[in-house]
Amino acid sequence: MELKTAVYPGSFDPVTYGHIDLIERGLEVFDRVVVAVAVNSEKRGLFSINERVALLQEIFASEKRIDVVSFRGLLVDYLKQGGYKTILRGLRAISDFDYEFQIANMNVHLYPEVDTVFLMTSQKYFYISSSVVKEVAQYGGDVSAFVPDNVVVALKNKLEQE
Ligand code: ADP
């Protein structure tokens, strides 16, 4: 039987329990999830692409059904190269919907075979976003309820460096 793979793209700057929850739930639906960290020249992140990938790899080191990669350029080009046809995305608030709807439609325009599957965020993680985590961490707040330990440590190190 053909393995069903979904590509879960995002910034992951840094990965949060919201992302992790989505990936784990994605594995209930798909055989494999490729977590794809986007190299986006417009958005300068707190963490480098390699740091984001390394944090994700550490978290999913024992999960063989998850691959962590980075990609540059258009997501659809990455999908075409790998022969992937399914994008996984999370939906939090209504405010996510408009943006996601635009992107999903653009991706179909560029690559008609592609489909985007949305999973609703778990209620528990509804309010978690990478940007809020970064902001709280920047002012010394405790973010250990929102991100795993390796990210807590990485945030601390990164912010001390700055
Ligand atoms: P992007 O810059 O592409 O939005 P993010 O890393 O912010 O990248 O998010 C990647 C994906 O993860 C998006 O589909 C987003 O909706 C989803 N996501 C982010 N935070 C959560 C959360 N707390 N619960 C569920 N999904 C989330």
Side-chain angles (χ1 to χ4, degrees), residues 24-96:
E24 284 171 348
R25 286 166 49 222
L27 282 179
E28 301 284 328
V29 183
F30 298 98
D31 301 306
R32 263 181 79 221
V33 172
V34 177
V35 183
V37 181
V39 180
N40 185 335
S41 53
E42 272 174 40
K43 273 197 204 168
R44 241 207 103 248
L46 178 65
F47 291 100
S48 71
I49 300 299
N50 287 344
E51 287 169 333
R52 297 180 213 175
V53 167
L55 289 168
L56 280 155
Q57 277 171 342
E58 265 169 45
I59 294 161
F60 296 114
S62 62
E63 180 51 84
K64 291 187 181 55
R65 296 197 294 146
I66 298 172
D67 279 330
V68 183
V69 302
S70 63
F71 72 99
R72 191 180 286 279
L74 283 178
L75 174 63
V76 289
D77 290 336
Y78 175 75
L79 298 173
K80 284 177 190 171
Q81 276 162 26
Y84 302 121
K85 295 206 170 106
T86 311
I87 302 169
L88 176 65
R89 292 283 287 178
L91 276 183
R92 279 164 299 183
I94 295 169
S95 54
D96 277 348

Side-chain angles (χ1 to χ4, degrees), residues 70-129:
S70 63
F71 72 99
R72 191 180 286 279
L74 283 178
L75 174 63
V76 289
D77 290 336
Y78 175 75
L79 298 173
K80 284 177 190 171
Q81 276 162 26
Y84 302 121
K85 295 206 170 106
T86 311
I87 302 169
L88 176 65
R89 292 283 287 178
L91 276 183
R92 279 164 299 183
I94 295 169
S95 54
D96 277 348
F97 179 83
D98 194 42
Y99 173 74
E100 293 293 339
F101 190 67
Q102 284 182 43
I103 300 288
N105 278 296
M106 180 55 80
N107 284 333
V108 170
H109 173 79
L110 297 171
Y111 182 19
E113 290 96 322
V114 87
D115 245 317
T116 305
V117 172
F118 294 97
L119 291 180
M120 302 281 256
T121 201
S122 306
Q123 221 171 1
K124 209 173 144 193
Y125 302 114
F126 195 78
Y127 296 104
I128 305 181
S129 70

